[in-house]
Amino acid sequence: MAAKSDVDGINAQINQKQWLNDRNQVRAPFDGIVGVINIAEGSRTGNLHLFDTNRKFVEMRVSDQTYRYIEQGQFAEFFVNSHPGEVFRGRVHSITSNTGEATVSAQGSTQHVRQHVGNNTSSHGRTVIIEFNEPEGYNVPLGATGSGWISANKPSPKLGFMDIIGGATVRLKALKAYLNAL
């Protein structure tokens, strides 16, 4: 017959294993999509990207010169190549203060000049997040690309006509994408 201390030790091990098993479950705070994760059997994960599909967002890059005129709540229009010819409307949800030019590698190796120059060939600027209501029957996919404009503050009231140009430009680009898709 086992001693009471042996039984208590086994019960403690069972409780510890149950506690560890309970920590293996990930419970999302909302319905959505988990980003791509490459893992192997037995590996631990961290920094999961959860995408709430009940709310739709678009990331938009704006120039550093334009950044100071963007505010939360401003009207925006955009099109995405996945839906050529369609123009969607939304509002500025948030604005990032960083430019996205500085990135850190998880491997911590030195960065070569060629890699640094290559990373900086893309357009710079700030990221603005646009929230929009997805129309019934549409599914704008994650990672879709396109073009858009924001009705930002103007340095002078005389520049209000620029919103008309922004709207016309997005519509022309959406039409061009539609014609290219035919």
Side-chain angles (χ1 to χ4, degrees):
M1 183 148 135
K4 179 166 176 21
S5 62
D6 291 339
V7 172
D8 289 343
I10 292 171
N11 282 335
Q13 288 178 0
I14 292 171
N15 288 338
Q16 181 185 21
K17 298 295 182 190
Q18 182 62 46
W19 180 79
L20 288 172
N21 190 45
D22 289 344
R23 291 182 53 91
N24 286 334
Q25 297 177 6
V26 176
R27 297 187 195 280
F30 47 77
D31 290 339
I33 298 172
V34 176
V36 176
I37 305 166
N38 297 318
I39 59 173
E41 183 177 342
S43 63
R44 294 182 182 256
T45 62
N47 297 330
L48 296 176
H49 295 281
L50 301 175
F51 298 100
D52 184 354
T53 55
N54 291 325
R55 298 172 70 190
K56 288 290 185 167
F57 298 95
V58 172
E59 289 184 1
M60 178 185 240
R61 298 285 282 180
V62 297
S63 68
D64 289 326
Q65 295 84 1
T66 305
Y67 170 76
R68 63 182 166 167
Y69 299 109
I70 306 286
E71 293 178 3
Q72 190 173 351
Q74 289 175 328
F75 178 77
E77 286 185 321
F78 63 94
F79 87 95
V80 290
N81 289 319
S82 61
H83 293 79
E86 302 283 343
V87 176
F88 299 94
R89 294 178 173 180
R91 298 243 173 232
V92 173
H93 176 270
S94 56
I95 308 158
T96 61
S97 59
N98 58 331
T99 62
E101 295 174 28
T103 59
V104 177
S105 171
Q107 296 177 342
S109 61
T110 59
Q111 188 177 33
H112 302 288
V113 173
R114 180 184 299 162
Q115 179 184 2
H116 178 73
V117 171
N119 288 344
N120 288 320
T121 58
S122 62
S123 61
H124 295 301
R126 310 291 177 101
T127 302
V128 176
I129 308 298
I130 308 296
E131 183 174 7
F132 69 101
N133 293 324
E134 190 172 55
E136 187 73 31
Y138 285 79
N139 183 16
V140 177
L142 291 172
T145 59
S147 184
W149 72 279
I150 298 171
S151 179
N153 297 329
K154 312 295 183 284
S156 167
K158 295 177 183 178
L159 297 174
F161 69 91
M162 296 198 53
D163 286 345
I164 297 169
I165 294 171
T169 303
V170 165
R171 282 164 177 70
L172 285 172
K173 287 183 177 184
L175 179 61
K176 182 179 176 184
Y178 176 76
L179 294 174
N180 285 336
L182 294 178

